[in-house]
Amino acid sequence: MIDLIAHIFEGVSTFGQMDAHTVMIRLALIAAGFLLVYLSGKNILDPMVLMPMGLAMILVNGATLTIEGKLANLFLDPMLSKPEEVVNSMQILFLQPIYNLMFSNGLIACLVFMGIGVITPLDYLIARPLTSMLIAAGAELGSILTFPLAVAFGFSYKEAASIAIVGGADGPMVLFTSLELAKHLFVPISVVAYVYLSVTYAIYPYMIKLLVPKPLQGIKMDLHSIPKVSSRQKLTFAVLAAAVLSVLFPAASPLFASFFIGVMVKEANLPRYRKFLDENVLTGSSFFLGFVLGALLSFYVVTDPRIVLIMILGMIALVLSGVGGIVAGLIAYKLSGGKINPLIGIAGVSCVPSTAKVAQKCAFAVNKQAIILPFAMGPNVAGVITTAIISGIYVALLR
Amino acid sequence: MPKLRKCSIVGNGQPRESSFLVHSYTAMGPQISLGSTPKVRREQNDRERNWPKFAGTALNPCRLKQMMMGDTVKAIHALLFVTGIYGLTFLITLFVVAVILLIRWASSGHPRTTPLSKERYAERKEVTA
């Protein structure tokens, strides 16, 4: 009788086939999935990516069954490498085609980047390029200093670069770099990056309060001081930048191509393509990104004992980038003779447009007339470019 | 394979086993134990093997010692490496700035070098006026 029940409710009976340590990991991952769904449902975390991720974590760790004597699930198996196994698994595992055709080759990162390109305004970057780019370079501190830290903790150069790029705060870039340099750490690094990108925006306002004196937080910036930038200028920049950066870093050219093709579609005024990339490509790829990442977080994939270290280093990277951005903002404030609100420095941490919104929110809390969002978008977009440059250098040197 | 260093100890005139850098390969990869008596070394290796894996290799005291020796040197090399990368990033950043400034300059109506373009520019100005 018990055997029959165990046979019917296979997901439950598989708990009995595991050692205590694995059972603990499996239960912890299910609990983490519930927590992600709850927090993203409350809008504390980004629901676009993290809600499907949480649900997939619950399902993939709950729906475990035995196939040919091994514990498995019917979602996907990222460990397959032989072409024959991959093709066979595509007939059975329903997310396997998406994983093999979109994740293994980094296509998902490129699709997200195309969508980001379409929603990215280049006005302030073109109007004030030096300020924007130098603030963004300052906000890459985490992507740089986390590298030797990770090496000190015993990671190889390739792994350290994949972890350090979390400091760039750019999800697609993290996916791309870890897929290129440390495929075996792709799952933990990507999940840490996406969870932290949501969590960090809750931390940044406290960092701002700690590091920037209150009177400086409410500095008003003159909106009329931004020179008008034509679509033609932005289009020319997108084409030239894509060409030059691709020639310099062919290894990262898929990312540059994806981002700048999005910008080009926006600035060339192609409404059908724009709608397609924004509504279909970005929305669809964000959904599958979250769902497949969650499905990858099964208890038998997440066995790397260094995952705790990756979590710590990821957090250090984002905090260091935030500090670097704020310091760069303060330097810009000094050099401009007090005309620039130093809060735009935090927008150098490049997740478009969340950090720019954080800067605006903090300025607005101090001074209701302080509108800095258009200014913050400059370093924000420049941050995407500098992160892509660092990612390109890492991939080119270490691949 | 790390280099083995032989350090003879003056006493009975024979080199002692404890004076070598001994490499033991445990479940967590190669561990280096500095010269010590075989008993101490055995105990140390047992500690390494019994250290819970999920605690993370860097939290292992023996791993920490190894980190202090080998990984610190590696970290300093890595720091130099990323300093170079940061410098290169700054240079490319300035290059991107130069590209933007060039585009702005080119579209601002300044580059009128040939007589024909100067003529056209003057005509356009007249029409605008």
Side-chain angles (χ1 to χ4, degrees):
Chain A
M1 186 66 182
I2 293 173
D3 281 352
L4 182 66
I5 292 171
H7 189 69
I8 294 170
F9 302 113
E10 210 178 345
V12 180
S13 67
T14 47
F15 277 103
Q17 298 171 27
M18 301 168 174
D19 57 84
H21 182 230
T22 316
V23 169
M24 271 172 62
I25 293 178
R26 189 175 163 190
L27 290 174
L29 286 169
I30 293 173
F34 274 111
L35 188 68
L36 282 185
V37 172
Y38 174 75
L39 292 175
S40 49
K42 287 230 161 203
N43 267 327
I44 296 169
L45 299 179
D46 175 21
M48 286 275 284
V49 174
L50 295 177
M51 193 176 275
M53 187 195 286
L55 183 67
M57 277 170 72
I58 298 167
L59 297 179
V60 82
N61 289 292
T64 301
L65 69 167
T66 316
I67 298 176
E68 293 172 355
K70 285 181 187 170
L71 292 177
N73 60 59
L74 293 179
F75 287 71
L76 77 150
D77 186 352
M79 302 301 188
L80 302 176
S81 55
K82 290 179 188 166
E84 196 182 326
E85 287 175 348
V86 172
V87 172
N88 287 339
S89 70
M90 281 191 190
Q91 319 294 321
I92 305 162
L93 310 177
F94 84 104
L95 285 178
Q96 197 72 39
I98 294 175
Y99 177 75
N100 281 110
L101 299 176
M102 290 177 76
F103 277 70
S104 301
N105 54 9
L107 172 65
I108 189 86
C110 295
L111 291 179
V112 175
F113 236 43
M114 281 182 199
I116 290 175
V118 164
I119 59 167
T120 300
L122 288 180
D123 298 76
Y124 191 74
L125 172 66
I126 308 266
R128 297 278 181 270
L130 193 61
T131 314
S132 302
M133 292 299 286
L134 290 183
I135 287 177
E140 292 297 341
L141 200 64
S143 315
I144 295 295
L145 290 185
T146 311
F147 182 88
L149 263 180
V151 171
F153 277 106
F155 288 97
S156 71
Y157 270 32
K158 287 183 177 183
E159 293 166 344
S162 304
I163 298 166
I165 212 72
V166 172
D170 213 319
M173 218 76 75
V174 177
L175 289 177
F176 181 79
T177 313
S178 55
L179 280 169
E180 288 287 325
L181 296 179
K183 218 166 184 173
H184 56 290
L185 292 181
F186 159 67
V187 178
I189 291 175
S190 307
V191 173
V192 162
Y194 272 95
V195 173
Y196 280 1
L197 288 187
S198 300
V199 173
T200 310
Y201 304 129
I203 297 170
Y204 278 175
Y206 295 103
M207 279 173 58
I208 286 172
K209 280 179 191 163
L210 198 71
L211 296 173
V212 183
K214 206 169 181 182
L216 304 190
Q217 291 178 27
I219 290 176
K220 264 175 70 179
M221 292 179 76
D222 184 12
L223 281 169
H224 300 293
S225 67
I226 306 176
K228 207 177 174 192
V229 179
S230 67
S231 283
R232 199 170 156 186
Q233 283 177 324
K234 288 184 261 183
L235 185 62
T236 313
F237 168 70
V239 175
L240 272 182
V244 169
L245 291 174
S246 295
V247 169
L248 289 176
F249 306 110
S253 59
L255 276 184
F256 295 126
S258 307
F259 178 70
F260 286 111
I261 206 163
V263 174
M264 196 187 78
V265 162
K266 183 186 176 212
E267 300 306 336
N269 197 19
L270 302 167
R272 285 189 184 188
Y273 284 168
R274 190 177 171 174
K275 201 176 168 193
F276 168 68
L277 288 181
D278 186 6
E279 291 179 9
N280 302 337
V281 173
L282 183 59
T283 312
S285 49
S286 297
F287 172 77
F288 279 112
L289 177 68
F291 197 63
V292 176
L293 272 182
L296 284 167
L297 267 173
S298 64
F299 61 91
Y300 56 89
V301 174
V302 186
T303 50
D304 200 315
R306 295 178 297 175
I307 198 159
V308 181
L309 277 177
I310 294 172
M311 288 168 77
I312 295 168
L313 289 167
M315 183 54 84
I316 290 173
L318 284 168
V319 168
L320 282 176
S321 289
V323 171
I326 291 172
V327 170
L330 286 167
I331 293 170
Y333 159 78
K334 281 274 177 206
L335 293 179
S336 67
K339 286 178 187 165
I340 290 179
N341 187 323
L343 293 195
I344 67 167
I346 200 79
V349 184
S350 68
C351 196
V352 180
S354 307
T355 40
K357 283 182 183 169
V358 168
Q360 173 61 57
K361 205 175 159 186
C362 292
F364 194 70
V366 177
N367 179 1
K368 301 284 177 215
Q369 291 179 324
I371 297 169
I372 61 166
L373 189 65
F375 301 91
M377 284 311 293
N380 210 207
V381 179
V384 176
I385 297 170
T386 46
T387 309
I389 291 170
I390 292 185
S391 172
I393 297 175
Y394 276 144
V395 171
L397 288 178
L398 301 173
R399 196 171 57 157
Chain B
M1 185 72 183
K3 198 179 173 186
L4 293 178
R5 190 159 51 91
K6 186 178 170 185
C7 313
S8 310
I9 292 176
V10 182
N12 59 4
Q14 296 296 315
R16 282 166 52 183
E17 191 197 355
S18 59
S19 59
F20 288 88
L21 272 174
V22 179
H23 301 260
S24 59
Y25 286 83
T26 66
M28 282 171 286
Q31 304 287 331
I32 300 171
S33 28
L34 276 175
S36 52
T37 64
K39 192 186 169 197
V40 171
R41 212 166 52 238
R42 211 176 302 122
E43 283 171 0
Q44 190 181 322
N45 287 340
D46 286 345
R47 251 201 331 272
E48 287 168 15
R49 275 191 213 99
N50 296 332
W51 191 263
K53 248 187 145 183
F54 58 82
T57 47
L59 305 179
N60 182 328
C62 306
R63 180 79 186 81
L64 280 174
K65 197 166 85 180
Q66 185 191 349
M67 196 187 92
M68 283 161 66
M69 291 165 55
D71 289 349
T72 308
V73 178
K74 269 193 205 170
I76 292 167
H77 283 295
L79 188 63
L80 294 174
F81 176 71
V82 282
T83 308
I85 289 181
Y86 209 18
L88 187 58
T89 306
F90 261 102
L91 281 179
I92 297 166
T93 298
L94 291 176
F95 181 65
V96 173
V97 172
V99 169
I100 296 174
L101 292 176
L102 188 71
I103 293 167
R104 277 178 47 189
W105 176 77
S107 58
S108 64
H110 292 299
R112 311 291 160 194
T113 46
T114 63
L116 185 65
S117 63
K118 279 179 186 170
E119 202 176 296
R120 280 183 188 159
Y121 183 59
E123 277 174 17
R124 206 185 305 160
K125 262 181 118 179
E126 273 174 27
V127 171
T128 317

